[in-house]
Amino acid sequence: MTNIFLDTLSGTRKQTPPVWLMRQAGRYLPEYRQVRASEPDFISFCLNPEKAVEVTLQPIDKFNFDAAIIFSDILLVPWAMNRNVRFIPGQGPVLNPLNSVDDLNENDTDQIKNRLAPVAEALTLCRSRLSNDKALIGFSGAPWTIITYMLEGQSSRDFPTARKWMWDNDRQFDMLLDIVTTATIEFLILQAQAGADVLMLFDSWASAVPAHFRQRVVFKPVQRIIETLRGRGIVQPVIGFPKGIGEGLLAYCDQTPVDGVGLDHGVDIAWAAKNLPDHITLQGNLDPLSLIAGGPLMHRAIDHILEAVADRSHIFNLGHGITPETPEPHVHDLMAQIQGRAS
Ligand code: CP3
């Protein structure tokens, strides 16, 4: 059976591109909210394989997306490293902020395999329930984005603590980057071995890294992650998503061995189609808020993307996660528009 998602990621251009949406399993779906309400603690929800698989498959059943992304969270890595991660309603994630790299235990990265075993179990179960023409995506935060949460102890706008650590010369930042990179590698290997067909690295706050440090903080860790995966026999393709780095995408594509790259809605899609290397599959770019508006403006924005990438391999997606306010009919409209095109 062909899998148009995996074919596209290996470089084949499809007349009708594969589609999935970041955060497709989430609060805009009433059936998600119902399962979510049965498990008040968000981490316990993520670590319940039956429930995680149920919500992972909800958007596939409803919209027939070409890929499922396992229901989990990037903050499970710091949780497994004993950073006391909790989700406070109305406030978002809270962690015990790291004061020094010595706050981490040497064997914290060894805990990934044991403490995150339920994610592996969910992937195996999900793969067995998902039809073979759909891809299953496993994911992790990229090290920088995880570090911002570990140092700030919460979501942040400007990440002052993390950026101060970066400019400090006492090597603590590089040690932390190294430890979190190792943990990320272990988490991705666990997911690949459990049944993920594709791996995605979310660097949601890459935009906050000074361009001066991009190589050290954004590119090098991703390069090490993928090279280590390959060395350890993991063959699954990897999609990188360095959100908000603009022209830095050129160096990202050049210096990291990613198979696909996620584009946020700030990137000019025509520029990306023309300037990013041909062997890299492009993914994303539609502003998630266009789905709230729906109608002709959304349709025009979708057409604009489809036309710009017409002669490249491309996975249709948003520039960031779908928002809870999104009306379901607009998601059906989006699918009808993309899949209604001749294949
Ligand atoms: O459908 C999917 O995309 C798969 C699941 C997924 C979740 N989080 C579930 C989730 C994925 C891929 C993520 C990644 C994630 N988590 C990122 C990177 C992507 C991005 O959006 O930039 C980040 C930064 C996080 C950290 C995180 N998790 C935040 C900031 C929040 C919001 C907290 C809040 O209260 O709104 C979460 C919680 C979270 N993760 C939700 C979901 C569906 C919403 C919480 C809920 O249902 O109560």
Side-chain angles (χ1 to χ4, degrees):
M1 195 185 277
T2 57
N3 186 306
I4 77 156
F5 189 95
L6 295 176
D7 286 353
T8 301
L9 201 43
S10 66
T12 310
R13 194 193 77 81
K14 301 280 176 182
Q15 182 74 24
T16 300
V19 188
W20 72 285
L21 304 181
M22 287 188 273
R23 286 279 175 99
Q24 62 191 17
R27 285 175 290 193
Y28 73 109
L29 293 176
E31 60 271 39
Y32 169 86
R33 295 197 297 269
Q34 198 184 345
V35 183
R36 175 75 180 87
S38 73
E39 199 67 68
D41 178 63
F42 185 71
I43 301 272
S44 314
F45 178 29
C46 291
L47 296 177
N48 181 319
E50 226 1 283
K51 288 183 183 175
V53 172
E54 187 181 349
V55 300
T56 299
L57 295 175
Q58 285 171 348
I60 312 301
D61 294 342
K62 189 167 241 170
F63 303 111
N64 198 29
F65 293 132
D66 298 291
I69 181 162
I70 194 67
F71 187 80
S72 151
D73 199 88
I74 64 165
L75 297 180
L76 289 182
V77 164
W79 174 83
M81 295 172 79
N82 293 308
R83 302 320 302 153
N84 191 16
V85 180
R86 59 263 185 220
F87 285 83
I88 311 221
Q91 195 186 334
V94 177
L95 299 76
N96 287 0
L98 204 64
N99 292 311
S100 144
V101 77
D102 299 332
D103 291 352
L104 291 175
N105 261 315
E106 276 213 359
N107 58 3
D108 277 341
T109 53
D110 302 338
Q111 292 301 320
I112 297 288
K113 235 176 142 170
N114 302 329
R115 300 192 80 190
L116 299 183
V119 178
E121 207 183 308
L123 280 157
T124 306
L125 187 63
C126 195
R127 190 55 276 179
S128 74
R129 290 189 189 162
L130 193 62
S131 114
N132 284 335
D133 60 346
K134 311 280 186 202
L136 179 57
I137 306 170
F139 68 92
S140 180
W144 159 252
T145 288
I146 297 302
I147 284 174
T148 65
Y149 288 96
M150 290 173 91
L151 292 179
E152 307 295 339
Q154 58 185 357
S155 297
S156 160
R157 188 187 287 263
D158 291 321
F159 315 101
T161 316
R163 279 165 56 212
K164 262 184 233 146
W165 272 52
M166 203 187 290
W167 285 101
D168 242 351
N169 281 327
D170 69 0
R171 298 199 40 81
Q172 288 237 27
F173 183 81
D174 289 317
M175 285 165 74
L176 181 57
L177 199 53
D178 194 53
I179 294 168
V180 175
T181 302
T182 301
T184 306
I185 291 167
E186 294 311 318
F187 190 33
L188 291 172
I189 290 178
L190 181 75
Q191 295 185 66
Q193 290 176 341
D197 303 305
V198 179
L199 300 169
M200 179 152 163
L201 275 167
F202 287 89
D203 212 347
S204 304
W205 311 126
S207 55
V209 176
H212 180 68
F213 285 145
R214 263 186 207 143
Q215 184 157 33
R216 168 186 173 208
V217 177
V218 179
F219 309 150
K220 279 257 172 65
V222 173
Q223 184 188 31
R224 186 183 138 208
I225 289 167
I226 302 176
E227 281 173 0
T228 309
L229 293 178
R230 301 297 176 241
R232 287 175 59 181
I234 303 300
V235 297
Q236 281 88 336
V238 176
I239 302 173
F241 182 36
K243 186 168 175 286
I245 66 168
E247 87 296 342
L249 284 162
L250 289 171
Y252 188 88
C253 289
D254 195 43
Q255 294 182 34
T256 72
V258 290
D259 301 278
V261 71
L263 305 174
D264 60 82
H265 40 273
V267 179
D268 175 349
I269 188 74
W271 172 87
K274 183 160 170 265
N275 292 294
L276 298 181
D278 265 338
H279 69 275
I280 291 186
T281 298
L282 305 181
Q283 169 177 283
N285 192 241
L286 182 67
D287 182 358
L289 295 196
S290 71
L291 263 77
I292 298 182
L297 260 181
M298 175 184 88
H299 290 304
R300 248 181 282 154
I302 292 171
D303 272 338
H304 176 68
I305 293 174
L306 294 173
E307 280 156 25
V309 294
D311 38 347
R312 301 188 52 130
S313 59
H314 170 240
I315 297 167
F316 199 92
N317 203 325
L318 307 177
H320 201 194
I322 190 167
T323 63
E325 300 80 30
T326 304
E328 275 182 40
H330 295 173
V331 182
H332 285 293
D333 288 350
L334 174 150
M335 287 304 278
Q337 183 182 352
I338 297 167
Q339 299 196 327
R341 292 159 66 100
S343 57

